[in-house]
């Protein structure tokens, strides 16, 4: 008897001293995953198509937020993917665990203290002064209570299971009750709370649903997990990063995860462009890693103020994604043909389009200077960004 005859029954059969284990059929599971992914991707394509046709991203976003059926289907698809598909793969859980490990290393294991000491040394060196140790530099926030984390586009609140965090999950259509309904793009910012740490925690535990406004400088961490590519306009991505800067305490972390299934260096220029744009707001890049299907980037807030004329200098346009350059016909096909992808020469041409940009106000923690930003785009000399 063929040992595979009993696979459908789930039984095992001993044949010549060997145990025959049934081989699970993964095809139906893959089909379900592809269908759910199709729901998510179609929502993104529809937004980008409308943006190309109409151009008014405020109007498009307002109509999108009123489309309850589409939003509900999207939320259910995302939760199903997370519960039944991503958790079976290392990267599904990996992005959440990466966020947690970065926060632990930075806030609890001395990472923030090391970065602040490095900042002091750099500033003293620039001024020709001797470096002095300051005990005022905090080694961790452990004495201040839990790490206050805002998860934007949370959907199913994946950080709620960690005791390290006091998590506030927000989404335009929450998939679980623990997530607050909130349109982050139109969230109003209020004056910072003048309260002790335990009082701030109490405030966060008693938020009202939906959330229309939040005080500035309220969180230690803001997470954009698979969020920015949702928006059809670079300017909307820019607004999100600017609001994250305002909602973070000084020295807080902005964690960005964005999808990309291409090889390590294919969109290195895009990541460099994002980095210059985000750092111009008053951040420094703290960590970067490329998984096979996503980029994971940590920025730390190094300045309370943001330069006022960044929009006029085209910084928002630097938060582009490859799909921004697709036509509606290519979007309808689902997969962009190879010839539609920008070549590296076209990437270089785009980079040279930012030659009029001023020097970014803040260098990254990798030590790479942004003072010659355009040549930097072409040299690809960043060992952290391009490590294998």
């Amino acid at each position: 008897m063929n040992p595979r005859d009993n696979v459908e029954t789930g039984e095992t059969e001993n044949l010549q001293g060997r145990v025959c284990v049934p081989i699970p059929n993964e095809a139906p599971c893959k089909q379900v995953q592809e269908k759910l992914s199709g729901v998510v991707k179609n929502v993104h394509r529809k937004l980008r198509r409308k943006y190309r046709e109409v151009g008014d991203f405020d109007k498009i976003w307002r109509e999108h937020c009123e489309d309850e059926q589409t939003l509900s289907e999207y939320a259910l698809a995302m939760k199903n993917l997370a519960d039944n598909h991503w958790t079976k793969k290392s990267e599904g859980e990996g992005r959440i665990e990466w966020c947690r490990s970065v926060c632990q290393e930075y806030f609890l294991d001395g990472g923030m203290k090391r970065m602040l000491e490095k900042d002091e040394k750099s500033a003293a060196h620039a001024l020709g002064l001797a470096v002095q140790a300051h005990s005022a530099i905090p080694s961790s926030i452990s004495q201040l209570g839990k790490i206050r984390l805002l998860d934007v586009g949370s959907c199913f609140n994946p950080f709620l299971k960690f005791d390290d965090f006091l998590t506030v999950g927000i989404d335009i259509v929450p998939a679980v009750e623990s997530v607050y309904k909130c349109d982050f793009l139109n969230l109003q910012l209020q004056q910072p709370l003048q309260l002790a740490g335990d009082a701030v925690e109490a405030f966060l535990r008693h938020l009202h649903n939906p959330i229309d406004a939040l005080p500035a400088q309220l969180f230690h961490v803001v997470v954009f997990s698979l969020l920015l590519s949702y928006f059809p306009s670079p300017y909307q991505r820019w607004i999100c990063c600017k609001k994250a800067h305002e909602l973070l305490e000084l020295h807080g972390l902005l964690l960005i995860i964005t999808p990309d299934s291409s090889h390590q260096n294919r969109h290195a220029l895009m990541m460099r462009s994002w980095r210059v744009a985000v750092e111009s707001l008053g951040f420094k890049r703290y960590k970067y890693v490329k998984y096979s299907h996503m980029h994971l980037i940590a920025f730390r807030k190094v300045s309370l103020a943001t330069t006022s004329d960044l929009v006029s200098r085209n910084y928002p346009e630097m938060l582009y994604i490859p799909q921004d350059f697709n036509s509606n016909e290519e979007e309808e096909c689902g997969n962009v043909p190879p010839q539609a992808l920008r070549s590296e020469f076209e990437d270089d041409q785009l980079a040279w389009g930012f030659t009029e940009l001023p020097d970014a106000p803040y260098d990254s923690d990798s030590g790479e200077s942004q003072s010659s930003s355009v040549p930097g785009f072409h040299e690809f000399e960043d060992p952290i960004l391009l490590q294998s």
Side-chain angles (χ1 to χ4, degrees):
M1 179 179 179
N2 191 319
R4 291 175 294 181
D5 291 345
N6 289 343
V7 168
E8 293 186 1
T9 68
E11 300 176 357
T12 60
E13 177 184 355
N14 192 303
L15 182 63
Q16 295 180 353
R18 298 179 181 178
V19 177
C20 301
V21 181
I23 301 173
N25 185 359
E26 296 184 357
C29 181
K30 185 176 181 180
Q31 291 173 356
V32 171
Q33 183 177 2
E34 289 176 347
K35 183 177 179 180
L36 294 169
S37 298
V39 172
V40 172
K41 292 177 181 178
N42 284 335
V43 171
H44 297 172
R45 292 186 188 116
K46 182 179 178 182
L47 280 171
R48 290 193 293 267
R49 183 175 67 249
K50 283 188 174 181
Y51 178 59
R52 294 187 193 99
E53 294 172 351
V54 179
D56 185 345
F57 53 76
D58 284 331
K59 179 176 183 293
I60 294 166
W61 186 249
R62 186 170 58 253
E63 293 175 350
H64 177 64
C65 291
E66 294 171 354
D67 188 351
E68 295 184 3
Q69 180 178 350
T70 296
L71 291 175
S72 297
E73 292 173 354
Y74 184 95
L76 290 174
M78 286 293 288
K79 187 176 188 302
N80 198 329
L81 283 168
D83 290 345
N84 303 313
H85 301 279
W86 291 345
T87 53
K88 298 178 181 179
K89 299 180 180 180
S90 60
E91 289 198 7
E93 284 292 292
R95 63 191 171 92
I96 305 301
E97 289 293 344
W98 180 84
C99 292
R100 185 192 186 194
S101 66
V102 168
C103 290
Q104 288 179 326
E105 192 276 335
Y106 182 77
F107 289 111
L108 305 179
D109 298 334
M112 178 171 63
K113 181 178 175 64
R114 289 190 294 272
M115 290 301 102
L116 294 177
E117 289 174 344
K118 178 181 176 181
D119 290 345
E120 284 201 347
K121 290 179 181 178
S122 298
H125 179 74
L127 298 173
L129 302 176
V131 179
Q132 297 180 349
H134 294 284
S135 58
I137 295 179
S139 59
S140 74
I141 64 164
S142 57
Q143 68 273 20
L144 303 180
K146 293 190 175 185
I147 300 172
R148 301 193 296 271
L149 182 146
L150 177 66
D151 185 16
V152 185
S154 179
C155 186
F156 55 95
N157 218 347
F159 293 97
L160 194 62
K161 62 184 179 181
F162 299 120
D163 291 335
D164 318 46
F165 302 118
L166 196 171
T167 302
V168 176
I170 61 174
D171 204 302
I172 50 175
V173 175
V176 294
E177 291 185 359
S178 62
V179 175
Y180 293 91
K181 181 178 176 64
C182 175
D183 177 8
F184 188 70
L185 271 181
N186 293 302
L187 178 72
Q188 300 299 308
L189 296 180
Q190 303 167 335
Q191 290 296 314
L193 296 176
Q194 303 297 326
L195 300 173
D198 56 347
V200 174
E201 289 191 7
F203 171 83
L204 288 175
R205 295 182 192 276
H206 294 88
L207 292 171
H208 297 289
N209 202 1
I211 295 176
D212 299 316
L214 284 172
Q217 302 175 34
L218 186 60
F219 295 95
H220 300 119
V221 184
V222 173
V223 177
F224 292 165
S225 180
L226 310 180
L227 173 80
L228 295 181
S229 59
Y230 188 114
F231 299 106
S233 162
Y235 186 74
Q236 291 172 311
R237 300 170 204 139
W238 166 263
I239 291 296
C240 286
C241 293
K242 189 173 186 297
K243 285 195 175 180
H245 183 272
E246 295 170 321
L247 285 165
L248 282 169
E249 285 192 349
L250 186 63
H251 312 309
L253 289 180
L254 169 60
L255 307 181
I256 298 176
I257 296 97
T258 193
D260 184 0
S261 297
S262 61
H263 64 75
Q264 177 76 23
N265 296 347
R266 178 64 187 92
H267 295 129
L269 180 71
M270 183 184 83
M271 286 294 96
R272 183 71 60 82
S273 181
W274 278 38
R275 176 171 157 186
V276 172
V278 175
E279 287 189 343
S280 71
L281 287 165
F283 289 101
K284 282 187 182 179
R285 196 187 67 180
Y286 176 57
K287 286 189 181 293
Y288 170 88
V289 66
K290 172 68 168 74
Y291 285 179
S292 59
H293 296 294
M294 63 190 77
H295 301 274
L296 303 96
I297 325 159
F299 293 94
R300 61 187 183 97
K301 178 176 175 177
V302 297
S303 172
L304 285 174
T306 297
T307 306
S308 60
D309 61 347
L310 294 174
V311 173
S312 64
R313 301 191 181 197
N314 287 332
Y315 277 105
E317 296 302 317
M318 300 184 78
L319 287 171
Y320 70 88
I321 60 175
Q323 293 88 338
D324 292 344
F325 302 92
N326 295 347
S327 66
N328 284 345
E329 291 75 15
E330 290 161 357
E331 291 279 14
E332 292 297 332
C333 293
N335 293 317
V336 183
Q339 63 269 24
L341 293 171
R342 288 183 295 114
S343 66
E344 292 192 5
F345 173 77
E346 291 170 321
D347 281 342
D348 288 344
Q349 292 298 308
L350 178 67
W352 279 107
F354 299 109
T355 54
E356 298 303 318
L357 288 175
D359 298 343
Y362 306 103
D363 296 342
S364 71
D365 288 327
S366 69
E368 178 193 353
S369 173
Q370 297 290 352
S371 60
S372 56
S373 57
V374 174
F377 279 100
H378 298 274
E379 291 164 8
F380 294 104
E381 76 284 7
D382 187 344
I384 298 178
L385 184 64
L386 303 179
Q387 63 186 348
S388 298

